[in-house]
Amino acid sequence: MLYLSTRGHPDRKRFCEILLEGLAPDGGLYLPERYPQVDAAMLGRLRAVFNGGASGGYAALAFEVLSLYIDDIPASDLTALCDKTYTEAVYGTAAIVPLKKLEDGFYLEALSNGPTLAFKDMAMQLLGNLFEYELARRGEELNILGATSGDTGSAAEYAMRGKQGVRVFMLSPHGRMSPFQQAQMFSLMDENIHNIAIDGVFDDCQDIVKAVSNELTFKRQYKIGTVNSINWARLLAQVVYYFAGYFQATSSDSQKVSFTVPSGNFGNVCAGHVARQMGLPIQTLVVATNENDVLDEFFRTGVYRVRASTDTYETSSPSMDISKASNFERFVFDLLGRDSARVKALFGVALSREGRFELGADPVFAEAASHYGFVSGKSTHADRLATIKDTFERFGLVIDTHTADGVKVAREHLDKSVPMIVLETALPIKFSETIVEALGRQPDRPPQFQGIEALPKRVHRMPADVEAVKRYIVQHCSDA
Ligand SMILES: *Cc1c(COP(=O)(O)O)cnc(C)c1O
């Protein structure tokens, strides 16, 4: 299996070559040359593997799906990596991603049982093991530099803690994360995890990461890398749980299901698109956004319009507060019949000049719904509160704010003959302020998180200064 760039760069690369990379050299995103096809016989076999008792289950399914895309890791090693990643010990349940039935034909798929209680663990935990494996094989090291306002940073730290050859330098805006999120990250005592609290806002942190990453000499000398959501391995890991959700909601491979996905950077739902292109019987992929409705606007009108930071709202589903959807280029590449010259003209030229492009008048736009199964909807703070309350009153279940956006929008797209699976992307304890607003009570706290706010903290506070951050990295590069 070889990978290409959505913007037409002539190079073709193998999985482990793009594993540690971000963008392709021409600024495009990596995609496989073609999507491996899962025919009826193979779908039956994958179902048997997933349901297959002691030697089966989620890890075995992950191995089967990943093998279709990874041919430069020996099968025995890839099996070991999957077995080590998707365990009951890490996810608290042997099912790893159990379905919770709300009512007939309406389910939540629980993706938030990992160490940081958000779905990003599903991919990041695998990435940690893949990075350690590949770096050891090459005899190399990597310093991951990132900026976070919460979920991504903690998922990355819990995935990379204690890993050989990897250090994490994670910038966060001082005093701006919730006490729970701060405690999650800052209580990690691992030598290879460096929390840096910047005097500034999230954008200042992100600007520092960009500035350092753009200094190519420094980047090369200190082996700076990232783990952001455009990483192909992260997306690939997410494809697996679409299969797992399908097998749990159906008893026969002739049935179809639909998924609703709370969306920001279009990473999670893009994995659903990949699963559907492989032949998984998905009827509809419902994209649910919050007030930051870049994607809902596109699927309704064909206009893709990047927002200025002043037009990007801080909402109560903060992990979906995006100004542009970084993975969206992958879908548009497929929508345009893989015409990389057009993708380059839209994402490389029109977006940087005008901040928007429009496909509404193009005949291919209709295919987003008719051929690729995409529809969308939007949810606001008031919708979120009402949905959390309604779900609690009717089913006794407390859902988080992002999942509530998904449930709200899913209800607008129900089809009685097709089961609907809403992806649960976080647990409510991470966003307790809004839960209290909706229900007048605190969400339950999983036992392993009791009292974490009181744990000792390991964090280094710094001004918003690129040179200071670089100095810190240089000083801490040779330990661990
Ligand atoms: C990251 C995140 C999302 C958005 O996922 P994308 O892949 O960026 O679309 C939704 N909900 C939660 C809780 C998240 O952490």
Side-chain angles (χ1 to χ4, degrees), residues 295-309:
L295 290 167
D296 181 43
E297 180 174 56
F298 175 80
F299 285 107
R300 278 186 299 104
T301 67
V303 174
Y304 182 66
R305 185 170 57 89
V306 169
R307 309 295 200 256
S309 50

Side-chain angles (χ1 to χ4, degrees), residues 318-330:
S319 299
M320 287 152 57
D321 292 350
I322 48 99
S323 55
K324 64 180 174 63
S326 351
N327 276 289
F328 188 52
E329 183 170 333
R330 288 191 159 111

Side-chain angles (χ1 to χ4, degrees), residues 282-358:
I282 297 175
Q283 170 138 311
T284 308
L285 287 165
V286 185
V287 177
T289 74
N290 64 15
E291 290 88 337
N292 296 292
D293 58 353
V294 182
L295 290 167
D296 181 43
E297 180 174 56
F298 175 80
F299 285 107
R300 278 186 299 104
T301 67
V303 174
Y304 182 66
R305 185 170 57 89
V306 169
R307 309 295 200 256
S309 50
T310 45
D311 293 330
T312 306
Y313 308 109
E314 272 186 41
T315 75
S316 46
S317 44
S319 299
M320 287 152 57
D321 292 350
I322 48 99
S323 55
K324 64 180 174 63
S326 351
N327 276 289
F328 188 52
E329 183 170 333
R330 288 191 159 111
F331 170 66
V332 173
F333 180 68
D334 285 341
L335 181 65
L336 296 178
R338 300 204 141 198
D339 181 341
S340 53
R342 273 195 85 190
V343 170
K344 193 171 176 178
L346 295 179
F347 285 88
V349 183
L351 271 196
S352 42
R353 278 202 199 134
E354 291 135 41
R356 73 197 293 283
F357 63 74
E358 188 162 351

Side-chain angles (χ1 to χ4, degrees), residues 66-85:
L66 296 178
S67 300
L68 300 171
Y69 290 90
I70 303 175
D71 53 15
D72 49 353
I73 296 177
S76 54
D77 290 356
L78 191 57
T79 302
L81 288 165
C82 291
D83 287 348
K84 177 172 157 187
T85 302

Side-chain angles (χ1 to χ4, degrees), residues 102-103 106 383-397 399 407 411 438-439:
L102 292 186
E103 46 197 323
F106 196 53
D383 294 325
R384 223 162 278 141
L385 294 178
T387 306
I388 291 168
K389 192 159 184 288
D390 175 70
T391 305
F392 181 65
E393 284 169 358
R394 287 165 61 192
F395 311 112
L397 184 71
I399 56 174
V407 169
R411 289 199 184 281
L439 302 179

Side-chain angles (χ1 to χ4, degrees), residues 118-120 151 229 238 262-269 319-320 400 402 425-426 431:
F119 87 99
K120 290 188 174 67
D151 283 353
S229 80
Q238 294 172 355
S263 296
N265 276 318
F266 203 77
N268 198 353
V269 75
S319 299
M320 287 152 57
D400 105 285
H402 307 75
T425 56
F431 306 98

